[in-house]
Amino acid sequence: MSAAAVPAPSARPWVRRTGVVGLVLAALATGRALTHAFPVGDRIEAPFVRTAEVGETLRLRYADVEAGEPQGARELVANGSTLSTPGLWLVVPVTIDARGEPRTLAYAAVRGADGTLYVASGSSARGGFAPGPAQPGIPRYATVAVELPADAAAGAHLLLALDSFDHRRDDLADLDLGLTAGDVERWTARTSPVTVPEPSDTAPPEAAPSDAAPSDAAEDGS
């Protein structure tokens, strides 16, 4: 009696297994390509940039902020001291209206036309920004002062944020200061310093810019 013939193992399971492995490898390759093309980590950790211009109120998660008319000069008066620079002191008044609870904005920087960040806050500051706490419903009036090269001022933007370092997944104000080459030329020729007032909950008085041209009456001596 002869032994029953044993059928040869089917190649199909291996074909199916090879096909599955191929699909997995293709999916991994596709995922890797997508990760390189669209970095997920960068997008997850990026701040939420909110934009506005001078005189516009910008709504952030933690406060409403508004930049006033910038000023500039080669000399700055702050805390009773006069500071000089071969470049330019850029000074921007800022109004902060906190949301929900007291807030202290701890980050201010100017992104110059050269792409450099000139930071006004923190240990590496090239200026000053210390607004103190803003109370909900009570506008806080503060000033950002930054030293930067004169040729980086035209087209500069002011950046504001709540945390001094960690801006991930939080609002970051990007305020277009509307500065022109004419502004820079006028400020670098200015002979009087620009003054930084103390932060306050009281609105500063409206004052004529000190680099304004003299009136006709003054020129006539009348």
Side-chain angles (χ1 to χ4, degrees), residues 114-139:
D114 56 358
T116 302
L117 277 180
Y118 299 94
V119 181
S121 55
S123 58
S124 60
R126 298 172 62 97
F129 178 62
Q135 303 295 329
I138 304 176

Side-chain angles (χ1 to χ4, degrees), residues 3-222:
V6 178
S10 173
R12 290 182 180 179
W14 290 102
V15 172
R16 287 198 298 268
R17 187 175 301 174
T18 303
V20 170
V21 171
L23 290 174
V24 170
L25 292 176
L28 289 174
T30 302
R32 181 177 177 84
L34 288 173
T35 300
H36 281 275
F38 306 100
V40 176
D42 292 346
R43 287 184 287 121
I44 289 176
E45 297 187 354
F48 304 122
V49 178
R50 315 298 185 191
T51 60
E53 299 179 355
V54 167
E56 295 180 347
T57 299
L58 181 61
R59 183 186 180 96
L60 305 175
R61 177 189 64 81
Y62 41 83
D64 290 345
V65 298
E66 180 181 324
E69 287 294 333
Q71 294 189 63
R74 291 196 185 274
E75 287 192 338
L76 177 84
V77 175
N79 299 322
S81 299
T82 301
L83 305 174
S84 300
T85 176
L88 186 70
W89 283 107
L90 177 61
V91 175
V92 185
V94 175
T95 304
I96 305 165
D97 197 346
R99 290 186 169 279
E101 61 184 78
R103 308 282 191 178
T104 300
L105 271 65
Y107 177 81
V110 168
R111 185 175 65 241
D114 56 358
T116 302
L117 277 180
Y118 299 94
V119 181
S121 55
S123 58
S124 60
R126 298 172 62 97
F129 178 62
Q135 303 295 329
I138 304 176
R140 184 72 171 172
Y141 302 93
T143 306
V144 178
V146 176
E147 180 188 9
L148 73 167
D151 58 6
H157 285 220
L158 173 63
L159 308 180
L160 298 172
L162 182 63
D163 192 273
S164 60
F165 176 74
D166 189 358
H167 308 147
R168 293 173 300 176
R169 297 189 61 79
D170 204 355
D171 286 350
L172 173 74
D174 183 338
L175 305 167
D176 185 350
L177 299 176
L179 300 181
T180 66
D183 295 324
V184 176
E185 182 178 357
R186 186 173 72 256
W187 290 340
T188 52
R190 175 175 172 168
T191 56
S192 59
V194 61
T195 301
V196 177
E198 293 292 326
S200 174
D201 293 338
T202 303
E206 293 293 333
S210 56
D211 59 344
S215 64
D216 293 338
E219 291 178 351
D220 294 340
S222 55

